[in-house]
Amino acid sequence: MEMRNQKSKGKPPAGPSIIADYRLQPGIPDEMIDADGNIRPGWSQLMSAFDRLGPNELAARFERADQYLRDAGVFYRKYDGAEGKERDWPLAHVPLLIGEADWSRISAGLIQRAELLETVIADIYGDNTLVQQGFLPPELVARNGEFLRPLVGVKPVSGNYLHFCAFELGRGPDGAWWVLGDRAQAPSGAGFALENRVATTRALSDVFADMNVQRLAGFFRSFRDTLFADAKRDGGRVGILTPGQLNETYFEHAYIARYLGLMLLEGEDLIVEDGKVMVRTVAGPKPISVLWRRMDASFVDPLELRYDSRIGTPGMVDALRHGSISMINALGTGLLETRALAAFMPRLAQKLLGADLLLPEIATWWCGQPREQRHVLANFDNLLIGPAFATTLPFDDLRGTALGSTVPPDQKAALLERIRANGADYVGQEPVQLSTAPVYVNGKLEPRPITLRVYAARTAEGWTIMPGGFARVASTLDTSAIAMQRGGQAADVWVLSSKPVERVSLLPRDGQKLVRNSPGSLPSRAADNLIWLGRYAERCEATVRILRAYNARLAELSKADLPILTHCAAFLDTIDVDASEAMPQGLLASIDSAVHSAGQIRDRFSPDGWLALNDLQKTAQRFAARIGPGDDATRAMTVLLRKLAGFSGLVHENMYRFAGWRFLELGRRLERAIQIARILSWLTSKTAPDGSLEMLLEIGDSVMSHRRRYSVSAGTQSAIDLLALDPLNPRSVIFQLSELRAQIEMLPGGIDDGQLSPAAKAALEIETELRIAEPADMTPQRLDKLAADIGVLAGLVAAAYFV
């Protein structure tokens, strides 16, 4: 995509900010002024506010916005080769301002365009008259990888193919907006637009309040209500279908699910039975009626679409044929993103709507037609040449698209020959000169090229346009740097109103009926991850306590070959933890596993809990690079122990006592019981060296309790009594079993018609055996069997709820 540096047009408008401290080179950003040199609405007020704040306060406020995004854990996944890494969300702090009149024109154009796209896609998968009558070439459909033949003739149960679309816009030199691309497959970014708004208003709350900026919540509320109204007809549920944690915009999927109160589902969460889509929940399969799809259509069903898809649900296309599921958007709508289709949109608008496009398209020539091919070949150097069936924007597809004049001579002849031989594979497009907006860079404002992404949602009243969206901002004056994967940033978009705007939220309106979700709606995959999160967190804590005790004695005794230390190191080796390492890799692996499990359930996990867990991980990694054994490691383990306690407190004290909390609690109790039983066996065996009792009580966090309860007859039997059989000690095995039994009985199916489930029976049996046991009965062999029995109990829970 070509970018020409633009000087301001006409005389610079009056205003101290623009012509003084914030003068920009090589000119005033185009977004600030119109074609006649007049300042556009809002910019003078914003720049004046920046002047009042001053550079130091402005920098502090922008840092506040960045800190909010870090605290909220907002990220996108940037791919470096095959691996993807989480990167902080790149906020461009200065919002893009758009006046009310300008926005009205944009909205009208996008509503018209959404209707056009709906009519086109309905025809392609329906009567196919556009191809028959020559308005669309057959190759553009039949050879298109986004055309899904199994969906031909399958009419959406909602009656519409499109429900949520995004449009990429750019402003030209004359101030008019152009459509650069359509997003109808699984449009991303709406959640990031919300986070942009929150972060920007945190920095500029006083400015935002004074500028009558239109709110975003009403747009999401209307769309949410539409989704639930559609689901209500079938008595089912509404979910967001995500490819999973490794998707580049997974954070947004989880954020939107949490924001709108939707289930976040992966393909494995769903099954198709008798043509109906069901969610695997802890209470058994439950029907779902509406899926907001956030994965590419071809991956949705490995039976009829991509056979190699591991993230889809077999039978989903058959469910669509039966009309049992409404897909947002319908499968196959990705065809509308095809770059070559832009060449036919103006004519299609005339044919189907009887009107010209209100928002013009990039001039595009499809080389599958002789006249258009000759035009592209004759004007090769002045056009962008790219793949006809690509669904990316030209500046997002550097490897496949290039300005003709920049193609090396040794490649130019070959490319021209390929266009002549296989013209249907190529398009030529007119380079677009993107307008620039002010961007805060190192304490000053600089112009950068921008595009605007705007969202449209179908509601009961028809199409509605989000009053904002987000602007993609290039990191340099080169538009090839506008993509997020190449260093681009995202700015909030403020649509200004001429009068005060209504404060809108997603809270229920007065008189609206209260709806409570059933506890059994927890997907089995989420429950599985919750139980493992609890287990990994407890495993980390047990390991940290052992390592702290080991290193404290190492620092005191200065010899690693003493009996108590070699005995401790041998036990750690059984759990893949190397005691000779100050920060063992085995501990780091457990922390990473906890983070991974939490990452799978971001929609059900509090931002504070996620932040605490990530802080734990970063702290452990930082220690691993700089501490040594002994005193350093002892202090490091104490820090990690406090952070683990903080994480547990945040999650367990603030989490609603729903089915999800119960599975998290089960994981904690299972792992703690197993760890305590194994540690007891290890430190009360006949081979346990001197000092084992003191280490046992320290690791079991029961030193003070032991002194108070057994001041006279303290010894091995008293330690076993306290840590295995005392029902009042929250660290004892029997305490964990009592909690396990209670929680299992409260799960769906835990007690059915008065009968205990197999897991509930096993928990009761183990607890009963402990209640009638004496300390002398709890030999190391009995304790090892106890740990094994609890492991079997964990398997029974998994068999009942996760398979």
Side-chain angles (χ1 to χ4, degrees):
M1 178 81 60
E2 186 182 51
M3 172 65 200
R4 304 181 183 93
N5 295 340
Q6 297 184 72
K7 302 289 183 180
S8 59
K9 310 162 188 69
K11 294 181 179 181
S17 304
I18 298 177
I19 63 175
D21 293 340
Y22 293 99
R23 172 176 282 178
L24 306 171
Q25 297 297 328
I28 299 171
D30 308 296
E31 285 301 320
M32 287 186 169
I33 55 175
D34 62 22
D36 298 324
N38 300 313
I39 191 166
R40 288 196 171 104
W43 284 109
S44 180
Q45 185 177 352
L46 182 64
M47 293 297 106
S48 296
F50 285 0
D51 278 345
R52 289 194 305 272
L53 293 172
N56 293 336
E57 174 64 16
L58 198 60
R61 289 191 174 209
F62 289 159
E63 172 56 30
R64 190 184 308 162
D66 292 336
Q67 186 62 50
Y68 161 76
L69 293 171
R70 288 192 293 269
D71 289 348
V74 183
F75 74 92
Y76 74 106
R77 192 170 295 279
K78 183 175 181 179
Y79 293 96
D80 301 321
E83 292 280 327
K85 298 179 180 178
E86 292 184 5
R87 303 293 174 88
D88 290 340
W89 182 247
L91 177 69
H93 304 92
V94 181
L96 175 67
L97 308 185
I98 300 179
E100 192 171 38
D102 205 3
W103 190 255
S104 294
R105 289 189 289 271
I106 290 174
S107 297
L110 294 184
I111 290 173
Q112 180 204 46
R113 191 171 188 87
E115 291 290 354
L116 176 60
L117 294 176
E118 170 70 32
T119 307
V120 170
I121 200 68
D123 181 82
I124 289 173
Y125 286 99
D127 296 336
N128 204 26
T129 58
L130 295 175
V131 171
Q132 294 174 10
Q133 297 175 9
F135 288 92
L136 277 177
E139 302 97 315
L140 200 60
V141 175
R143 293 186 54 204
N144 198 316
E146 297 297 334
F147 176 61
L148 305 180
R149 294 182 185 276
L151 276 302
V152 172
V154 179
K155 294 184 178 180
V157 64
S158 67
N160 298 296
Y161 288 80
L162 298 176
H163 311 82
F164 194 88
C165 301
F167 305 92
E168 204 82 23
L169 308 180
R171 197 196 290 269
D174 60 354
W177 290 96
W178 292 70
V179 175
L180 306 178
D182 303 304
R183 290 288 170 260
Q185 171 81 270
S188 64
F192 290 125
L194 279 169
E195 285 288 25
N196 284 347
R197 174 60 55 87
V198 175
T200 303
T201 52
R202 289 222 174 177
L204 303 171
S205 57
D206 49 349
V207 182
F208 180 86
D210 291 339
M211 293 188 67
N212 296 334
V213 181
Q214 295 188 31
R215 311 291 175 131
L216 304 181
F219 170 83
F220 286 98
R221 185 177 65 187
S222 297
F223 186 55
R224 180 201 62 184
D225 292 348
T226 301
L227 294 178
F228 279 106
D230 288 345
K232 190 176 181 180
R233 288 196 296 265
D234 300 328
R237 292 159 174 77
V238 182
I240 292 180
L241 182 60
T242 175
Q245 189 179 8
L246 296 181
N247 185 263
E248 64 179 351
T249 57
Y250 175 75
F251 169 84
E252 184 208 356
H253 305 168
Y255 179 83
I256 287 289
R258 190 165 55 236
Y259 181 67
L260 298 182
L262 309 180
M263 302 176 74
L264 186 63
L265 303 169
E266 297 183 21
E268 67 181 85
D269 293 327
L270 304 170
I271 55 173
V272 178
E273 295 181 346
D274 299 325
K276 295 182 179 180
V277 182
M278 313 289 282
V279 183
R280 305 176 194 261
T281 78
V282 296
K286 301 292 182 182
I288 188 163
S289 299
V290 178
L291 278 176
W292 185 357
R293 176 173 60 88
R294 298 303 302 272
M295 70 168 65
D296 288 351
S298 59
F299 290 93
V300 168
D301 187 346
L303 279 183
E304 299 199 50
L305 302 176
R306 281 192 62 150
Y307 71 90
D308 60 340
S309 172
R310 294 180 177 270
I311 58 175
T313 305
M316 186 65 77
V317 171
D318 190 51
L320 289 169
R321 291 194 188 99
H322 281 81
S324 65
I325 188 77
S326 178
M327 193 73 75
I328 313 294
N329 290 323
L331 299 185
T333 52
L335 183 148
L336 295 171
E337 300 180 1
T338 305
R339 199 178 295 178
L341 191 62
F344 303 91
M345 291 299 283
R347 190 180 177 203
L348 289 173
Q350 282 287 349
K351 159 69 177 175
L352 299 174
L353 304 180
D356 293 331
L357 290 170
L358 298 177
L359 290 176
E361 191 98 32
I362 300 178
T364 303
W365 294 268
W366 179 55
C367 297
Q369 298 168 300
R371 185 177 64 177
E372 284 73 11
Q373 184 184 113
R374 289 193 297 270
H375 175 85
V376 170
L377 294 173
N379 297 275
F380 183 86
D381 287 348
N382 299 318
L383 296 177
L384 286 164
I385 309 300
F389 296 102
T391 57
T392 55
L393 299 178
F395 45 77
D396 286 340
D397 187 20
L398 299 185
R399 290 175 297 179
T401 302
L403 188 66
S405 60
T406 66
V407 178
D410 58 327
Q411 299 177 21
K412 182 175 181 179
L415 179 56
L416 288 170
E417 185 57 35
R418 287 199 299 273
I419 293 174
R420 294 188 185 97
N422 302 293
D425 292 336
Y426 295 92
V427 292
Q429 292 182 293
E430 185 178 26
V432 173
Q433 183 173 318
L434 294 176
S435 64
T436 58
V439 178
Y440 184 78
V441 181
N442 298 324
K444 61 179 181 178
L445 298 182
E446 296 182 3
R448 292 287 187 268
I450 63 136
T451 63
L452 174 62
R453 181 170 293 186
V454 186
Y455 299 89
R458 188 187 295 277
T459 69
E461 291 74 34
W463 287 101
T464 182
I465 306 298
M466 180 194 292
F470 73 85
R472 295 204 293 169
V473 184
S475 57
T476 69
L477 284 172
D478 181 6
T479 51
S480 66
I482 210 166
M484 294 295 182
Q485 298 289 340
R486 297 181 175 88
Q489 296 177 296
D492 191 15
V493 178
W494 290 6
V495 176
L496 307 181
S497 177
S498 58
K499 56 186 178 181
V501 297
E502 178 187 0
R503 297 182 66 89
V504 182
S505 75
L506 264 66
L507 295 175
R509 300 181 180 93
D510 291 340
Q512 189 172 352
K513 184 179 180 182
L514 183 66
V515 178
R516 293 187 178 95
N517 291 325
S518 167
S521 296
L522 180 69
S524 295
R525 178 187 54 82
D528 194 8
N529 280 287
L530 283 163
I531 206 170
W532 275 107
L533 173 59
R535 293 197 64 172
Y536 283 126
E538 282 295 325
R539 189 171 300 178
C540 290
E541 181 178 335
T543 305
V544 165
R545 288 184 180 277
I546 298 170
L547 287 168
R548 185 173 67 166
Y550 173 89
N551 281 283
R553 285 155 180 77
L554 178 64
E556 179 183 348
L557 302 173
S558 302
K559 290 183 179 180
D561 59 350
L562 294 175
I564 186 63
L565 296 182
T566 56
H567 193 66
C568 181
F571 177 79
L572 287 168
D573 189 58
T574 65
I575 56 174
D576 296 323
V577 175
D578 187 350
S580 66
E581 299 175 343
M583 184 61 65
Q585 289 300 312
L587 173 59
L588 294 175
S590 292
I591 295 174
D592 291 344
S593 295
V595 173
H596 176 77
S597 293
Q600 298 280 353
I601 47 173
R602 287 291 293 271
D603 61 314
R604 297 176 180 273
F605 208 61
S606 76
D608 286 335
W610 177 255
L611 183 64
L613 194 57
N614 273 271
D615 181 49
L616 171 70
Q617 183 185 45
K618 291 175 182 177
T619 302
Q621 292 170 346
R622 187 168 61 251
F623 282 150
R626 69 186 192 193
I627 67 168
D631 277 337
D632 282 353
T634 302
R635 287 191 292 269
M637 295 305 151
T638 300
V639 171
L640 293 184
L641 195 57
R642 286 201 302 266
K643 290 183 179 290
L644 278 163
F647 166 73
S648 296
L650 274 171
V651 173
H652 302 300
E653 294 303 319
N654 298 326
M655 197 169 178
Y656 184 75
R657 272 27 179 187
F658 212 48
W661 176 84
R662 300 196 190 287
F663 281 97
L664 188 63
E665 187 73 356
L666 284 175
R668 291 182 63 211
R669 301 302 177 183
L670 283 166
E671 191 66 28
R672 183 177 292 184
I674 291 171
Q675 294 291 339
I676 291 295
R678 295 192 68 228
I679 292 168
L680 272 169
S681 172
W682 159 57
L683 287 175
T684 60
S685 67
K686 293 181 179 179
T687 59
D690 290 342
S692 294
L693 179 60
E694 291 79 5
M695 181 177 277
L696 171 62
L697 293 172
E698 182 181 334
I699 293 170
D701 196 21
S702 297
V703 174
M704 296 299 296
S705 298
H706 187 264
R707 287 175 183 170
R708 284 195 300 268
R709 296 210 64 183
Y710 309 98
S711 57
V712 177
S713 58
T716 301
Q717 294 299 306
S718 63
I720 292 175
D721 186 56
L722 180 62
L723 287 171
L725 305 177
D726 191 334
L728 301 180
N729 182 8
R731 289 280 165 182
S732 73
V733 180
I734 196 169
F735 187 94
Q736 315 313 315
L737 265 297
S738 178
E739 290 295 311
L740 282 169
R741 177 185 54 78
Q743 298 305 330
I744 290 173
E745 289 178 0
M746 295 182 72
L747 290 175
I751 299 179
D752 193 5
D753 291 331
Q755 297 296 313
L756 296 178
S757 68
K761 287 180 180 179
L764 178 59
E765 182 178 2
I766 300 171
E767 183 191 5
T768 302
E769 289 179 358
L770 284 179
R771 285 195 176 277
I772 63 176
E774 295 293 334
D777 299 330
M778 303 308 294
T779 63
Q781 295 76 18
R782 176 83 177 266
L783 289 165
D784 287 338
K785 181 179 183 301
L786 175 61
D789 289 343
I790 298 169
V792 171
L793 173 60
L796 291 173
V797 172
Y801 298 104
F802 307 147
V803 178

